[in-house]
Amino acid sequence: MRKIAAGVLAAALPFALMPEAHADPVAFWGYWQAKGDTWAFASTGPAQAHPKDGAVEGWRFARSNGNTGTPPRAKPDFAAICGSTAGAPAGEKRVAVVIDYGEAADAPKSQVPPAAKQHCATVPQSATGSDILAAAGRPQTDKSGLICAIDSFGPCGAPVAASPSATARTTAEKKKDSGTPVGLYTGIGLIVLVAAGGGLVAVRRSRR
């Protein structure tokens, strides 16, 4: 009986000791938060996070073999990003945001990563990480609710349609410059408003 058991164990060991197979690295938008002067991968999704006044949030598009991705290349520095912005009014908070679109080698096919940007968002005290991202950029999600594009850059990146009111204003300026009576444009603008219907941008939990 012992010989049989030993034989079974010997046969199983080569498979048990084989290294775990890893899939090819996948580029994705990672969500980061400042811990002092370094970045730490967020422990919760942006919809559940409630950064405090003076916090620094980071987003980076990168390819990674691990579960945490690659942090933004710029160091988190609230003073450098929000130093020139007036203090938040009562009931609001200031949160610095760093958006790093990554390297060309990691970019989705036919897309070129824009230059990284930094933004000081003044938002309500109750604002979540999702709200703060929406104040700094234009996020898009896939069917599972993961952030898959910011400012049209990412696997699901697509131009975000302008709002009907913005479209109407732009058309109004062009019509005015070309000498078309403003009264005539107003009627056309109302038609555009009804036909366009408006766009939709959803913001949910990021990949963890």
Side-chain angles (χ1 to χ4, degrees), residues 8-21:
V8 172
L9 179 60
L13 278 176
F15 296 97
L17 298 177
M18 286 179 63
E20 182 181 355

Side-chain angles (χ1 to χ4, degrees), residues 18 20 27 51 64 69 80 88 90 105 119 127 132 143-144 158-159 176-177 204:
M18 286 179 63
E20 182 181 355
S64 175
H119 179 79
I132 294 166
K143 292 180 180 179
S144 64
K176 186 175 181 180
D177 292 339
R204 299 193 188 94

Side-chain angles (χ1 to χ4, degrees), residues 10 16 20 29 46 61 77 88 142 146 186:
E20 182 181 355
W29 277 105
F61 188 81
D77 190 335
D142 59 18
L146 302 178
T186 302

Side-chain angles (χ1 to χ4, degrees), residues 1-190:
M1 186 69 178
R2 290 180 179 178
K3 291 183 179 180
I4 296 176
V8 172
L9 179 60
L13 278 176
F15 296 97
L17 298 177
M18 286 179 63
E20 182 181 355
H22 291 281
D24 291 336
V26 176
F28 61 92
W29 277 105
Y31 177 41
W32 299 79
Q33 295 172 326
K35 298 296 182 184
D37 60 355
T38 60
W39 291 108
F41 196 73
S43 59
T44 63
Q48 289 76 43
H50 290 82
K52 297 181 179 180
D53 183 77
V56 185
E57 298 272 275
W59 291 86
R60 168 73 189 270
F61 188 81
R63 194 177 301 274
S64 175
N65 277 314
N67 295 321
T68 60
T70 304
R73 286 166 285 189
K75 286 189 175 182
D77 190 335
F78 179 82
I81 300 172
C82 290
S84 61
T85 304
E92 298 188 345
K93 60 186 176 183
R94 289 183 304 163
V95 178
V97 184
V98 176
I99 300 178
D100 188 336
Y101 304 87
E103 301 177 358
D106 293 339
K109 187 177 181 180
S110 302
Q111 293 190 37
V112 177
K117 70 178 182 181
Q118 300 179 351
H119 179 79
C120 185
T122 300
V123 294
Q125 284 286 355
S126 60
T128 65
S130 296
D131 299 325
I132 294 166
L133 174 60
R138 300 190 310 276
Q140 293 172 278
T141 62
D142 59 18
K143 292 180 180 179
S144 64
L146 302 178
I147 298 294
C148 57
I150 298 177
D151 296 329
S152 301
F153 181 81
C156 69
V160 178
S163 65
S165 58
T167 302
R169 284 197 302 271
T170 302
T171 307
E173 292 171 358
K174 291 181 179 180
K175 292 290 184 178
K176 186 175 181 180
D177 292 339
S178 63
T180 302
V182 175
L184 176 59
Y185 161 71
T186 302
I188 297 174
L190 290 175

